[in-house]
Amino acid sequence: MTILTRFVTGAVAVLALSLPAAATEYRIAVGDGAGGTQEALGKAFIAALEEESGGEMTGKLFLNGQLGDEQDTVTAAATGTLDFSILAINNITPFSPSVGTLTLPYVILSQDDAEQLTQGEIGQQMIEQTIEDAGVRIIGWAYSGFRVLTNSKRPVSTVDDLQGLVIRVPKNEIMIETYKSWGVNPTPMAWGETFAALQQKVVDGQDNPYMTVYAMKFDEVQKYITNLHYIFSIEPLIISEALFESLSEEEQQQVLAAGEAATKASSEFLRAEESKIKEELVSRGMEITDPANNEQEFIDLATTAVWPKFYDQIGGKEVLDNVLTSLGREPAK
Ligand code: MLT
């Protein structure tokens, strides 16, 4: 809580401005609980939206999937029954497969990579594609860090250690295939069901960033963390395209500017807070293991087996090559 309070200090000052009685309040669905990057992005967005619109527009966050599971919120926003949602990008991929390029294993290797891709030309293309495919517009990005593996049974440092563990993954083909490449048949499950499944030991483990493990209190039901780096989690803020189109040009610009401000705040939030959260999880009894041999076995299996399977879905191998070369790397083999 304290980290968030510190983060939003500036924002709180803006919120303290009195809003006009007729301010429009938008509903913003948030998949995670309090204390993580999704809530931080949402709070920064609301503060910036109020400032940009002179208090004419504001928003209210509904945490912990109160407005529906992350994938369901995409459909709700597309049909205009929900205004905004903040959710993991892997939960948009089923509706807009080209976004999957950012969830292919070991494509994004750092926060700088994530920011460069989302805030540059490639991010812009994905925004346009998502409007077309899914009827939602990405207006901001939360950066949440690498999805680390957690489980309740044992330390995992090799692919061999993973065998026999029941791992929950989102309903996302790329992530399912990645675990299969490591010899595990994972259990696809909606995000909202995950805590209970871990608690009741229906599944042994899952992966999500440190910030999310903390926000969801997974330390209460998971003991071991493995520092995998296969996906750097990006969590977009989306607006119903129908709602966006219904706004005046001036309001649209205010919404976009607020999204940009929230993105910047999210970037600073992760850089400032992730290592503290990691320490906090250790102090609560979690044990952290690094993958053996710099993760090479995980990397080789996943990139060789998974990348080619998704070339068609993401729009061709050249789409991945474009991403890799824009990050200064070699095209895929
Ligand atoms: C998932 O695992 O479904 C998502 O990453 C959850 C999230 O949005 O934090």
Side-chain angles (χ1 to χ4, degrees):
M1 272 318 116
T2 43
I3 54 164
L4 198 57
T5 313
R6 251 183 291 128
F7 171 69
V8 296
T9 307
V12 167
V14 176
L15 280 168
L17 288 173
S18 54
L19 299 176
T24 307
E25 182 177 273
Y26 293 111
R27 293 185 317 150
I28 306 176
V30 181
D32 294 349
T37 44
Q38 291 190 357
E39 187 195 38
L41 181 84
K43 288 195 168 193
F45 174 71
I46 292 170
L49 186 62
E50 290 177 357
E51 192 177 11
E52 289 289 335
S53 68
E56 295 287 334
M57 289 189 278
T58 185
K60 181 166 181 202
L61 301 180
F62 292 82
L63 299 172
N64 273 315
Q66 287 173 69
L67 298 185
D69 247 308
E70 290 196 359
Q71 293 193 5
D72 296 338
T73 66
V74 179
T75 316
T79 53
T81 56
L82 174 66
D83 306 323
F84 293 84
S85 177
I86 301 173
L87 72 170
I89 195 159
N90 45 273
N91 286 328
I92 297 186
T93 315
F95 306 93
S96 189
S98 74
V99 178
T101 320
L102 301 187
T103 49
L104 281 175
Y106 300 105
V107 167
I108 297 180
L109 301 181
S110 65
Q111 184 172 347
D112 285 346
D113 283 0
E115 291 181 15
Q116 185 185 322
L117 289 174
T118 51
Q119 293 174 33
E121 198 185 314
I122 287 170
Q124 197 49 47
Q125 284 162 10
M126 283 181 185
I127 290 170
E128 279 153 29
Q129 196 62 49
T130 308
I131 294 169
E132 201 178 309
D133 294 342
V136 296
R137 176 183 293 258
I138 298 169
I139 56 161
W141 306 90
Y143 304 104
S144 298
F146 288 102
R147 293 181 74 104
V148 295
L149 173 72
T150 68
N151 86 91
S152 57
K153 289 247 165 102
R154 55 175 178 260
V156 170
S157 70
T158 63
V159 168
D160 205 35
D161 294 335
L162 254 187
Q163 306 313 305
L165 291 179
V166 182
I167 304 293
R168 172 269 170 183
V169 289
K171 295 175 185 169
N172 174 299
E173 285 305 319
I174 294 175
M175 298 168 83
I176 294 169
E177 288 303 323
T178 302
Y179 275 91
K180 285 190 179 163
S181 79
W182 297 332
V184 171
N185 200 2
T187 305
M189 185 184 285
W191 182 226
E193 293 162 24
T194 305
F195 185 91
L198 293 168
Q199 189 173 43
Q200 290 155 17
K201 307 238 183 296
V202 175
V203 293
D204 301 319
Q206 62 84 47
D207 68 59
N208 258 294
Y210 279 106
M211 307 300 292
T212 311
V213 171
Y214 171 78
M216 300 306 291
K217 300 187 170 56
F218 281 176
D219 52 285
E220 292 174 5
V221 289
Q222 298 278 270
K223 167 92 179 153
Y224 303 101
I225 295 181
T226 304
N227 274 330
L228 289 183
H229 299 84
Y230 85 112
I231 291 178
F232 185 100
S233 189
I234 298 172
E235 322 233 9
L237 164 64
I238 57 172
I239 177 173
S240 157
E241 181 60 8
L243 168 60
F244 187 79
E245 292 297 333
S246 74
L247 299 176
S248 70
E249 205 166 309
E250 190 190 8
E251 289 166 332
Q252 289 181 349
Q253 291 315 315
Q254 292 164 348
V255 166
L256 294 175
E260 262 178 48
T263 301
K264 189 162 176 296
S266 170
S267 159
E268 288 162 10
F269 180 67
L270 183 66
R271 287 187 203 279
E273 304 301 341
E274 191 179 35
S275 56
K276 292 180 207 160
I277 291 297
K278 200 167 159 180
E279 280 168 27
E280 175 63 22
L281 291 172
V282 171
S283 78
R284 292 181 186 185
M286 296 195 86
E287 269 182 43
I288 302 180
T289 304
D290 283 321
N293 302 319
N294 294 323
E295 212 167 327
Q296 203 55 51
E297 194 187 6
F298 289 94
I299 297 171
D300 291 345
L301 288 167
T303 53
T304 312
V306 181
W307 287 3
K309 279 198 178 126
F310 292 93
Y311 289 155
D312 284 349
Q313 274 194 32
I314 63 170
K317 176 174 180 291
E318 59 278 14
V319 174
L320 174 60
D321 286 344
N322 186 24
V323 167
L324 293 173
T325 53
S326 78
L327 295 174
R329 290 167 54 195
E330 294 293 315
K333 290 201 185 97

